[in-house]
Amino acid sequence: IQNAPFDGITLYSEASHGAAIDPIIRRCRIHDCGSCGITVYGNTPNPLNTLIENCFLWRLQTAHGGAFNTTARFGYITTRRSMNTRIVNNTFFVDTGTGSTFCVLGAYASSTAEVPFGEVSNNIIVKTAGAGFPIFHLNTPTGSQSTVPAVCDSNCFFDVTTSPFARYDVGAATTLNTLLDWQITALRDLASLNADPQLVAPQNGDLHLAALSPCISASTLAGSAA
């Protein structure tokens, strides 16, 4: 999926259009799009249990275009009014990105009961653009039951820009500058890596791992593949 003026994929759910229950987005190559790679968005009912896995995402958010571009579509994968989205075994090469709330993974929750991300695990995130903007931007309301992903581990992060690691909590007002800060404060990604994953040729869209990558067989999650 490439050259979309806005999102590569928009998954939308509401009563008049039908409920999105247990949708799967798998093995997609999404790149060169004006807005998000994937937006998971809904009203009533919310998208439920979306699984995004084994995708390659790069060169996204090039124009920060489309409506709701600060509440629903502001990063490589973002959610709004969704429940239990799982992001597993994907590779991100974040070489472009614009917008005042730009991030790699973002949520703008609209209710205290909303669980934007049920799992973020076994992903590789290489960030070479978007200086000053975080990997996680998780905006939740006061009293939210889920300010960070329920499961978040065995990821590999490699950010060569000068950026905080995460902005989260009420209004995304809490800033954590490093993976270590995230581990200590949010108690997530305790077994994740901060290392160059050695992608084969990311500038040419080859996001496979080189033979000596530290990410190969590195997952600590039972039943998961690195």
Side-chain angles (χ1 to χ4, degrees):
I1 299 172
Q2 61 179 327
N3 298 327
F6 301 134
D7 308 329
I9 295 174
T10 301
L11 177 65
Y12 182 73
S13 178
E14 68 170 19
S16 61
H17 291 84
I21 300 174
D22 299 328
I24 297 174
I25 299 171
R26 176 183 288 146
R27 294 189 177 181
C28 294
R29 294 168 57 88
I30 308 172
H31 59 97
D32 292 281
C33 298
S35 193
C36 292
I38 302 171
T39 299
V40 181
Y41 179 69
N43 284 311
T44 303
N46 300 158
L48 178 64
N49 298 333
T50 302
L51 174 62
I52 301 169
E53 69 173 353
N54 297 114
C55 295
F56 285 171
L57 303 98
W58 75 98
R59 208 167 300 134
L60 302 167
Q61 278 289 332
T62 60
H64 193 50
F68 304 103
N69 65 0
T70 59
T71 57
R73 46 172 22 150
F74 52 91
Y76 273 50
I77 295 178
T78 56
T79 71
R80 166 77 166 168
R81 297 188 184 125
S82 70
M83 293 292 290
N84 199 42
T85 298
R86 297 176 59 226
I87 301 174
V88 183
N89 297 331
N90 303 283
T91 302
F92 301 78
F93 181 62
V94 184
D95 56 341
T96 54
T98 63
S100 60
T101 51
F102 174 72
C103 60
V104 182
L105 300 174
Y108 197 115
S110 64
S111 74
T112 59
E114 186 174 326
V115 181
F117 294 127
E119 181 178 6
V120 177
S121 64
N122 294 336
N123 301 286
I124 294 167
I125 298 175
V126 175
K127 186 170 176 283
T128 65
F133 295 98
I135 291 172
F136 288 103
H137 183 103
L138 308 172
N139 189 330
T140 53
T142 300
S144 175
Q145 300 174 32
S146 179
T147 59
V148 296
V151 176
C152 191
D153 214 347
S154 289
N155 298 295
C156 179
F157 303 103
F158 188 58
D159 186 353
V160 300
T161 70
T162 303
S163 306
F165 183 84
R167 293 192 175 112
Y168 78 111
D169 212 350
V170 180
T174 299
T175 298
L176 299 178
N177 288 313
T178 67
L179 172 59
L180 180 59
D181 293 337
W182 176 250
Q183 292 170 329
I184 292 172
T185 303
L187 300 178
R188 296 296 184 268
D189 282 298
L190 299 181
S192 292
L193 301 177
N194 183 7
D196 183 349
Q198 300 182 29
L199 304 179
V200 172
Q203 297 293 351
N204 297 323
D206 188 346
L207 306 189
H208 293 93
L209 298 176
L212 297 180
S213 170
C215 298
I216 295 174
S217 300
S219 177
T220 62
L221 297 177
S224 298

